[in-house]
Amino acid sequence: MSPQRKRKEPASAPLVEPGRRASLRSRLLEWYDRQKRDLPWRRTRDPYAIWLSEVMLQQTQVSTVIPYWERFLQRFPTVESLAAAPLPDVLAAWRGLGYYSRARNLHLAAQEVVARFGGKLPSTAAELLTLPGFGRYTSGAVASIAFGEPAPLVDGNVARVLSRIFEVEGAPGDRVREARLWALATELVHGERPGDFNQALMEHGATVCRPESPLCLLCPVREECLAYRHGRVDELPPARVRAAPKRMTLAVAVWAHQGRLLLARRAEKGLFGGLWELPAAEVEDDMPDTGSAAKLAEALGVDLEVGEHLGTVRRQLTHRALSLRLLRVTGPARPSHAPAFRELRWCTPDEAASLGMSTAMHKALEAAVTAGALEG
């Protein structure tokens, strides 16, 4: 008896009908060619510069990124120069952009690119995914824009555009929704100019298909949009429910000696990881100054005497409502190393300003100096 032939599985039907797919692609590319913003990273084919722009643009507005991108490339013009730089120098160049894990991963990835790929960024999304800081979005963006690979990407702008065009249900973060969006992006990116098409999707979401007050009358794919057809543009996607920021209080040691202040560099991970600061320790909001001084003494590994309270600096971070309580401290022995920090230095305010320091801690430094920390 002859063996039965294995039945061939039927190919799954495409999510987007070929004619509709071709129409969407051509309309978005034609619109992009006419309406795209003149951004500096769109004038280069350097994969490193394109990668840098994608990292900086995560969670940060275009207008903020442009001067940072230009200054960063002046200071670190190649992957090799970035890989060779000390991490504190990289963090100093990043100061003010926030989300400092991006800078740490950028530095680590540059070192791996030099070690594993001879200083040349790999050209495929699959290889890029093996580098620190490269998730699915960044890999797809760099592979498609810098190298022309038909690699999909989905960020907040693309998710909104696709959710409306294809009437995709579900809240941001829903696994079924995310899988469908990525599947749609994968089908749509195949064709001519995949990098430009991905940028067209993102540009459209940023300038026309906006979260609020979308400009539907200017939309080049309005006729293809199911949400527009069904009067649901304002419903899709539903707004993400954000958790209330966590309150966090740090006791900050303001220790002056001969015109200099004690600065400490944090461990690489955690809040403000790898950055310089006036030495700080997390405390309860209602902890008295004596208790706060004890926490700081433990972090610095020396005995401390607490003096006057020099004020409180408040900063609103994305996920934290931060209070920095400035305490003048001194002690019988000036520390040169500490158990809770990677490095200590005694710096003038001008010297401190050149170090990699978070905006919040830079404000604390300014407040301490203004309050007379170096006087007396």
Side-chain angles (χ1 to χ4, degrees), residues 4-286:
Q4 287 187 341
R5 286 188 178 179
K6 196 171 182 181
R7 262 177 125 181
K8 209 171 186 182
E9 292 291 329
S12 58
L15 293 173
V16 188
E17 185 270 325
R20 188 183 184 201
R21 176 180 166 276
S23 174
L24 283 168
R25 292 190 95 264
S26 64
R27 290 184 184 202
L28 279 169
L29 282 170
E30 287 171 9
W31 171 85
Y32 179 70
D33 288 340
R34 293 193 313 269
Q35 301 293 337
K36 66 183 177 185
R37 291 169 291 178
D38 181 23
L39 302 176
W41 43 85
R42 290 179 176 162
R43 303 183 216 125
T44 180
R45 303 311 307 162
D46 178 10
Y48 165 61
I50 292 168
W51 166 36
L52 177 63
S53 73
E54 289 300 330
V55 174
M56 286 187 167
L57 286 166
Q58 294 166 20
Q59 308 289 335
T60 309
Q61 293 183 346
V62 168
S63 58
T64 301
V65 166
I66 290 173
Y68 276 93
W69 182 82
E70 292 172 340
R71 287 195 299 266
F72 199 95
L73 282 176
Q74 288 175 355
R75 188 164 183 183
F76 310 111
T78 63
V79 173
E80 290 89 349
S81 63
L82 176 59
L87 177 60
D89 289 359
V90 177
L91 294 175
W94 200 270
R95 190 176 77 195
L97 274 179
Y99 297 95
Y100 289 91
S101 61
R102 295 181 297 173
R104 292 192 293 272
N105 283 328
L106 189 75
H107 188 238
L108 284 172
Q111 292 176 330
E112 287 205 20
V113 168
V114 170
R116 293 169 51 200
F117 300 101
K120 304 291 184 184
L121 270 175
S123 60
T124 68
E127 287 180 301
L128 290 166
L129 268 172
T130 67
L131 295 170
F134 273 87
R136 198 173 177 186
Y137 164 79
T138 307
S139 300
V142 175
S144 63
I145 297 169
F147 298 107
E149 182 186 17
L153 57 77
V154 177
D155 69 351
N157 286 321
V158 173
R160 184 168 54 259
V161 171
L162 296 181
S163 293
R164 288 171 174 169
I165 291 175
F166 296 99
E167 207 169 11
V168 178
E169 306 288 351
D174 178 79
R175 293 177 67 179
V176 174
R177 172 187 183 265
E178 301 303 315
R180 182 168 177 80
L181 293 175
W182 276 99
L184 287 166
T186 300
E187 284 193 12
L188 291 169
V189 76
H190 284 274
E192 64 173 350
R193 301 168 60 193
D196 283 346
F197 178 74
N198 278 338
Q199 290 187 90
L201 280 175
M202 292 188 286
E203 186 82 345
H204 185 54
T207 62
V208 175
C209 195
R210 305 181 304 197
E212 298 176 359
S213 304
L215 305 175
C216 293
L217 294 180
L218 301 179
C219 175
V221 292
R222 183 176 68 247
E223 295 173 9
E224 306 279 355
C225 180
L226 294 178
Y228 180 77
R229 190 180 304 169
H230 299 150
R232 301 189 62 205
V233 171
D234 291 335
E235 297 176 28
L236 294 174
R240 183 189 293 271
V241 179
R242 298 191 180 275
K246 175 188 172 186
R247 293 181 63 179
M248 185 179 193
T249 301
L250 298 179
V252 178
V254 182
W255 192 338
H257 180 75
Q258 295 182 353
R260 295 176 181 271
L261 291 166
L262 178 62
L263 274 292
R265 188 160 76 88
R266 282 183 171 253
E268 305 299 341
K269 293 185 178 180
L271 181 68
F272 304 143
L275 296 173
W276 287 91
E277 63 177 31
L278 295 168
E282 186 173 1
V283 297
E284 297 297 326
D285 189 50
D286 57 355

Side-chain angles (χ1 to χ4, degrees), residues 68 91-92 94-98 100 250 252 254 261 263-264 266 272 275-280 312-315 317 322 324 326 347-371:
Y68 276 93
L91 294 175
W94 200 270
R95 190 176 77 195
L97 274 179
Y100 289 91
L250 298 179
V252 178
V254 182
L261 291 166
L263 274 292
R266 282 183 171 253
F272 304 143
L275 296 173
W276 287 91
E277 63 177 31
L278 295 168
T312 299
V313 172
R314 291 182 171 84
R315 297 287 295 178
L317 308 183
L322 191 62
L324 304 174
L326 309 179
C347 299
T348 66
D350 286 345
E351 291 168 344
S354 67
L355 300 175
M357 186 179 291
S358 70
T359 301
M361 198 54 73
H362 187 68
K363 294 291 184 185
L365 175 65
E366 289 180 337
V369 172
T370 301

